Every structure is written in structure tokens, then in C-alpha cells.
Amino acid sequence: MEENFKDKKINKTLTRVKVNLDISFDRETKVIDFHYPNELLQMNNWELQDEPATLDDILISCRATLKYAIKTAHPRYFNQLSTGLDMVGLAADWLTSTANTNMFTYEVAPVFVLLEYVTLKKMREIIGWTDGRGDGIFSPGGAISNMYAMLLARFKMFPEVKEKGMSSVPRLVAFTSEHSHFSIKKGAAALGIGTESVICIKADESGKLIPADLERRILEGFVPFFVSATAGTTVYGAFDPLIAISDICKKYNIWMHVDGAWGGSLLMSRRHRWKLDGVERANSVTWNPHKMMSVPLQCSALLVREEGLMQNCNQMHACYLFQQDKHYDLSYDTGDKALQCGRHVDIFKLWLMWRAKGTIGFEAQIDKCLELSEYLYNKIKDREGYEMVFDAIHAVFVACCQVAPVIKARMMEYGTTMVSYQPQGDKVNFFRMVISNPAATFEDIDFLIEEIERLGQDL
């Protein structure tokens, strides 16, 4: 009798979860039920207590959490890069949590370790490295993947830095576009290289790094060890000229990294992968499937061309975990090449979605996002009241001057849609349109344009 009661409770809970998932895709519901922080703190009891709560109280908390959370799966959410909700990915996330294991050894995560091996090899093949050779790891995000790349580049040039520290090496400098992600400077700070040792290279009007300026700055002095090219800049969505950059890196024997956290997924599209021509010449590549491929957060990969370098750079030979007399192939104990000890299983979401969609399914999904981007561009390029920040089809930005923050605030208060805004250089605040949700349609793009006009008509 008691079990039957529990089963009913569980089924009821699962039904409520399904209802909330359905709501996430429903265009008639709000993207956000916005309240200011002090209001939200007062509206619900979020405090932790000594005594355990009842199941009904826990369910109330769960419903409140979903009610006031941003519905990133909503087809009219265009605010940041991680959007959409894939049912297979969600199921994989649940299975991963059910297994509740760690990625440091084959001993405790045999299937997941093998799936990471298989998937990273496939990703390296897609990059263009012969037979998928090389190395790689899934990390907590693109910022950490970029830091791994910087760490490997420094170790490759000065392996003694691992034991002796930065005092044993000359002043190192890294180079990246002025439009690159802030994680390059964060990585330099974390590794003790210093943010002042990151030289920002000029970008052209479309946001692409200028190779001539890169070469000029390399020749200015100190020891160049790392160049980070960006494939899909955060604001303009620009793709740096990888072939020209790789020629310079080869000429001066500098590690070339490609930060493809955002744009790396275009490698899955035969129609659009030309934007990353030259990526196969890189020493390392960051690629975030949790962005354009809509894999549930988090899922970021660092791919490395040289096999064994990550192990040599990061291993500490902890004998209580990485024993050398185990009865299986020790190369599958991947934990010693990571900075982390405890490492979440991020691979299963991507692997299961890839099995469900196939490469051609991901290709179709990515092509659709680019089609929607082109549709938006064509809708607004000559529309009264709008101004393109620059003339590009696949990176669409709508200038709205100082009214953008006001319109954005109204969007959130009404809860109808969300899109990001920011200034860039000498450009005033403008809307940055991000399209990565597979559920978005042409009608959702039309709605966004009309909603911007409705909310800003009195400004």
C-alpha cells in the first residue's frame, strides 16, 4: 500500500515535469516571469532549515524554481548562446546523474571513458587531423578549454615551467584579437603570465583579426608563445583568417589555437565549414557543442593535435588513483591529463544526441540556424528604424542606440522575448541577435522584430 502511494507520487511528479517541459516550448507562455531580486527573495521561502521538508513542500520549491527560471528552451529566447532543449540530451543528462560517477579512470567510468575517446577522435577527424590522431578532453566550459590550450603552449615551449614556475622562463606574450573572448586574458591571469602579456591585435570593420598587425606586434619583443584565433567572435560573430594566421605562426614557431567555442560547430555543415578553412593547421581547438549544437550545459571540448602532450603537461602520478599495475590498458585512465580530479561526465549527452541525430541531423540543425540568421538580415537591412552595425549575413546586429536597454527591460517585464545588447568599440548599444535554438522559426523572427517596434514605439 505504501509503495503504491509512493509510485503515485512519483508518477504525479513526472507528469508535472513533463507539463513544465511542454510549457518551455509553448509560445503562449512567457520566456521569463520577471521579478526584481528583493521581490523574488520575499515571494518564496528559499531558506535552508534544520528539519527536512515534506515531499509536497519540495515539489512546491521545484515548481517555483521552474516558474521563475529563464525558459532558455523557449523559441523566442535569443539572449545567449546556450538555447533550446533536446529531449535526448535531457534523457542523457538524467542517465549521467543516475550513474553518478567520475571521469578520472576507466576503473570507475568504463563506458563513459570509451565514449569520450570515440567522440573526441571523431571531432578531430572533422577538424581535419589525419586519422583523428591527437588528444583532447571535455572541460567545464570554453574558458577552461582556452586556458588548457595556453597551458599546453607554455609547456611545449618551456617544459621546465611545470616544476620551476614562471621565474624560470623569460617574459612570455600571447596574441589575440581585440574582439576575442575575455577568457584569453583570464587564462593568462590564472597561469601567472599576466593580462598585460596578452597583446590585443586590431580587427577590421567586420571584426576579423588583421594578420599584418599580428606579425608587426610579434616582432616588437619579448617571447611570443601563443596565438589565439577566434572562429565566431562573441559580439560580431566574426571568423578570423585562419590560413593567414597559421602561416605567421609557422614562420615564427608559435602555438596556434583556434577558439571555436561558438563557431566551431560549423565544422558539422558542408555548406558553412569553409569559414574555418585552415583550422586543421592549428595546434589546438576549442569547440563547445553546448552552443550551436544545443547539447545541454555543460559540454566543451579541447582538441589537441599532439598526442601525449596533455598527459606530460598535467600528470602528477598520484599512486592512490593511477596505479601502474592495473590489469587493463592504462591509457584509458584519462584523469591525470586533466587539471581537475573530480570531472563531471559531459560526454554522454553529446554522444547520445549524435547517435540519435547522426552527423546529418546536426548539419541540418546548424544550417537552419544560419538560414534564420540570413532571413533576419534580409528583413531588417532596409527596414525603417533599424541600422545594421555592419553588413553581414551570418552575424546579424541591429543598432538601436541608447534605447536598447529600455526596450530590453520592457521585454523582460512583459516576458515575451529576450535578446542581448551591448556597445562595441565606438558603436553605441545595439542588439546582438543569437540564433541557436532548433525550435525557432521564421515566425519567431518576425515576432521579435514586431515586438522591438511595439516596445520602443514611444521612445
Side-chain angles (χ1 to χ4, degrees):
M1 187 73 177
E2 185 181 345
E3 269 192 38
N4 192 32
F5 175 74
K6 287 181 179 177
D7 288 344
K8 285 181 179 178
K9 282 276 189 181
I10 292 169
N11 289 334
K12 202 174 188 181
T13 303
L14 291 174
T15 300
R16 285 170 175 166
V17 169
K18 183 183 184 301
V19 168
N20 278 294
L21 291 176
D22 291 340
I23 288 172
S24 295
F25 295 103
D26 186 357
R27 288 170 176 80
E28 299 303 314
T29 62
K30 290 184 175 184
V31 174
I32 174 178
D33 186 354
F34 178 77
H35 295 273
Y36 289 96
N38 60 324
E39 295 174 340
L40 198 54
L41 278 171
Q42 294 169 10
M43 286 169 60
N44 295 275
N45 179 16
W46 307 107
E47 298 301 321
L48 298 172
Q49 301 163 336
D50 292 335
E51 297 299 319
T54 66
L55 178 59
D56 285 338
D57 286 339
I58 290 170
L59 290 175
I60 288 170
S61 296
C62 290
R63 285 196 292 273
T65 300
L66 287 173
K67 175 177 170 57
Y68 299 113
I70 307 295
K71 294 177 178 62
T72 58
H74 199 290
R76 292 173 180 168
Y77 175 83
F78 303 105
N79 203 70
Q80 252 88 38
L81 300 175
S82 304
T83 65
L85 179 60
D86 186 277
M87 292 296 105
V88 174
L90 178 62
D93 219 356
W94 286 348
L95 190 147
T96 296
S97 295
T98 302
N100 193 32
T101 192
N102 200 315
M103 285 295 290
F104 46 48
T105 63
Y106 180 83
E107 178 181 342
V108 298
V111 176
F112 296 132
V113 164
L114 291 180
L115 296 184
E116 185 173 69
Y117 170 83
V118 167
T119 307
L120 288 171
K121 184 174 185 292
K122 182 70 173 178
M123 294 172 82
R124 292 192 297 266
E125 288 173 358
I126 290 171
I127 287 171
W129 293 335
T130 306
D131 298 325
R133 290 199 292 268
D135 208 340
I137 200 165
F138 281 86
S139 80
I144 303 300
S145 292
N146 288 340
M147 187 176 74
Y148 266 123
M150 188 174 286
L151 180 69
L152 293 172
R154 184 179 65 178
F155 178 79
K156 177 71 174 175
M157 183 173 282
F158 295 104
E160 63 270 24
V161 75
K162 179 177 176 180
E163 285 84 22
K164 298 179 181 178
M166 287 296 292
S167 62
S168 66
V169 301
R171 168 76 183 275
L172 303 179
V173 288
F175 305 88
T176 192
S177 165
E178 61 182 344
H179 285 202
S180 66
H181 194 261
F182 67 84
S183 59
I184 303 302
K185 285 191 174 182
K186 273 204 171 186
L191 296 177
I193 295 164
T195 59
E196 290 183 0
S197 295
V198 178
I199 310 300
C200 292
I201 307 302
K202 291 178 182 177
D204 62 21
E205 289 185 358
S206 65
K208 297 178 181 179
L209 179 147
I210 300 172
D213 190 53
L214 171 62
E215 186 161 23
R216 180 181 69 83
R217 299 304 301 271
I218 286 173
L219 294 171
E220 284 184 348
F222 300 115
V223 179
F225 82 105
F226 182 80
V227 172
S228 179
T230 311
T233 59
T234 305
V235 180
Y236 278 13
F239 287 74
D240 288 340
L242 303 184
I243 293 175
I245 293 169
S246 68
D247 287 341
I248 293 170
C249 289
K250 183 177 181 181
K251 180 177 179 180
Y252 296 101
N253 194 28
I254 305 172
W255 182 286
M256 177 185 171
H257 174 63
V258 174
D259 177 7
W262 173 217
S265 295
L266 292 190
L267 289 168
M268 303 288 280
S269 168
R270 287 166 291 185
R271 188 185 307 171
H272 299 290
R273 67 168 290 138
W274 62 268
K275 293 178 184 293
L276 289 101
D277 282 353
V279 68
E280 73 282 353
R281 299 169 69 174
N283 297 94
S284 56
V285 178
T286 292
W287 178 352
N288 285 10
H290 69 225
K291 292 183 177 173
M292 199 177 292
M293 293 168 71
S294 294
V295 176
L297 281 164
Q298 60 195 27
C299 188
S300 172
L302 175 73
L303 296 311
V304 184
R305 191 168 63 183
E306 182 177 336
E307 190 172 357
L309 186 64
M310 288 196 79
Q311 187 80 7
N312 292 333
C313 178
N314 296 320
Q315 67 184 353
M316 289 296 159
H317 304 288
C319 60
Y320 54 82
L321 190 58
F322 307 112
Q323 302 94 333
Q324 296 304 297
D325 53 357
K326 292 181 179 179
H327 62 291
Y328 57 80
D329 184 348
L330 296 179
S331 68
Y332 291 102
D333 281 358
T334 58
D336 218 10
K337 68 182 180 184
L339 289 177
Q340 303 164 257
C341 180
R343 188 161 67 91
H344 187 261
V345 177
D346 295 326
I347 181 57
F348 193 63
K349 296 169 291 188
L350 172 58
W351 180 86
L352 198 64
M353 285 176 64
W354 208 324
R355 291 278 281 194
K357 293 174 184 283
T359 305
I360 60 171
F362 273 128
E363 179 181 39
Q365 177 178 316
I366 290 161
D367 287 349
K368 179 189 172 187
C369 290
L370 274 292
E371 287 171 12
L372 290 174
S373 180
E374 185 172 358
Y375 177 77
L376 174 59
Y377 169 80
N378 289 326
K379 288 277 289 189
I380 65 174
K381 65 179 180 180
D382 298 317
R383 193 181 183 98
E384 185 179 352
Y386 292 87
E387 178 188 347
M388 299 302 298
V389 173
F390 68 92
D391 194 37
I393 290 178
H394 296 306
V396 182
F397 304 94
V398 188
C400 286
C401 304
Q402 62 267 39
V403 304
V406 179
I407 293 176
K408 172 63 178 290
R410 292 177 180 179
M411 279 182 186
M412 294 182 69
E413 287 167 0
Y414 279 98
T416 51
T417 187
M418 281 182 71
V419 61
S420 183
Y421 74 87
Q422 72 285 304
Q424 174 73 32
D426 60 353
K427 304 286 194 304
V428 296
N429 278 322
F430 56 86
F431 285 120
R432 172 171 71 105
M433 183 66 177
V434 174
I435 303 174
S436 60
N437 189 342
T441 64
F442 296 119
E443 289 76 18
D444 295 317
I445 303 298
D446 293 338
F447 177 87
L448 174 74
I449 296 171
E450 292 163 7
E451 190 68 351
I452 288 174
E453 292 172 357
R454 182 181 77 84
L455 296 173
Q457 61 185 343
D458 62 328
L459 299 175

